[in-house]
Amino acid sequence: VPEPAQVATPATVPTAPVTSPVVKKFYQKKAFKIIAIIAIIIIALVAIVNQATSGATKASNQFLNAVQSNQSNVAYELFSSEVKDNVTKDDFKEVVSQIGPILNTDEKMTGKSVEAETGKPSTGQVLYEIKGTDGKTYEIAIDLVKEDGDWKVENFDSDEK
């Protein structure tokens, strides 16, 4: 009869690590499934964000391209009704004639966002960086508002970086 000190208890029984090829394969498959699900979620989120911001991005690109090519009338038509009530075509044409030639280089979009709140029009902002023809780098922010289903420019701001 073994003495009480010699009886093994579950806490003291040595266990071998689980290294069975079947067990390893099971965990590898499970890890692969988790990684695949995470990748699918990330891809879906990117697609949703791009879809949500595509209209605002398109409108801001059209506006910026019109300013860069000195087409003030085209850019003016992309303004919201509130801006048109406060800025005349002639005043805007003068602004475009001054900044258009400086910004007439390749732009790099650096950010975009859209916000929607119940009872209020959707708003968005698209940010660009442009190295001007004067050698300076400018940060361009175009604020937009959704008006009658279309994205319109509410504000246009450029700052030297």
Side-chain angles (χ1 to χ4, degrees), residues 92-128:
F92 183 62
K93 182 177 183 175
E94 187 176 326
V95 170
V96 170
S97 70
Q98 293 172 9
I99 64 170
I102 296 170
L103 300 178
N104 194 12
T105 62
D106 291 336
E107 70 274 355
K108 175 183 168 190
M109 187 182 305
T110 59
K112 57 185 175 177
S113 65
V114 169
E115 291 184 24
E117 191 175 325
T118 304
K120 293 184 178 181
S122 297
T123 59
Q125 184 179 60
V126 182
L127 305 172
Y128 300 90

Side-chain angles (χ1 to χ4, degrees), residues 51-74:
Q51 177 62 29
T53 60
S54 66
T57 301
K58 181 180 177 185
S60 67
N61 285 341
Q62 289 173 334
F63 178 81
L64 184 57
N65 291 335
V67 169
Q68 290 174 309
S69 59
N70 206 23
Q71 296 177 340
S72 62
N73 287 337
V74 173

Side-chain angles (χ1 to χ4, degrees), residues 1-7:
V1 175
E3 293 185 26
Q6 296 174 341
V7 176

Side-chain angles (χ1 to χ4, degrees), residues 30-158:
K30 192 167 189 111
F32 179 76
K33 285 180 183 178
I34 291 170
I35 292 169
I37 289 170
I38 291 170
I40 290 169
I41 290 170
I42 290 171
I43 290 169
L45 287 174
V46 168
I48 290 168
V49 168
N50 280 336
Q51 177 62 29
T53 60
S54 66
T57 301
K58 181 180 177 185
S60 67
N61 285 341
Q62 289 173 334
F63 178 81
L64 184 57
N65 291 335
V67 169
Q68 290 174 309
S69 59
N70 206 23
Q71 296 177 340
S72 62
N73 287 337
V74 173
Y76 188 85
E77 290 308 311
L78 293 167
F79 275 141
S80 69
S81 57
E82 183 179 342
V83 173
K84 288 179 181 177
D85 289 344
N86 294 298
V87 177
T88 67
K89 279 186 177 184
D90 289 337
D91 288 344
F92 183 62
K93 182 177 183 175
E94 187 176 326
V95 170
V96 170
S97 70
Q98 293 172 9
I99 64 170
I102 296 170
L103 300 178
N104 194 12
T105 62
D106 291 336
E107 70 274 355
K108 175 183 168 190
M109 187 182 305
T110 59
K112 57 185 175 177
S113 65
V114 169
E115 291 184 24
E117 191 175 325
T118 304
K120 293 184 178 181
S122 297
T123 59
Q125 184 179 60
V126 182
L127 305 172
Y128 300 90
E129 191 173 280
I130 298 176
K131 182 156 181 136
T133 56
D134 60 359
K136 298 176 185 174
T137 300
Y138 295 91
E139 292 178 335
I140 309 296
I142 299 177
D143 297 320
L144 302 115
V145 63
K146 201 159 195 181
E147 194 174 84
D148 297 325
D150 294 322
W151 285 100
K152 297 292 185 173
V153 175
E154 192 170 50
N155 191 31
F156 168 69
D157 190 30
S158 66

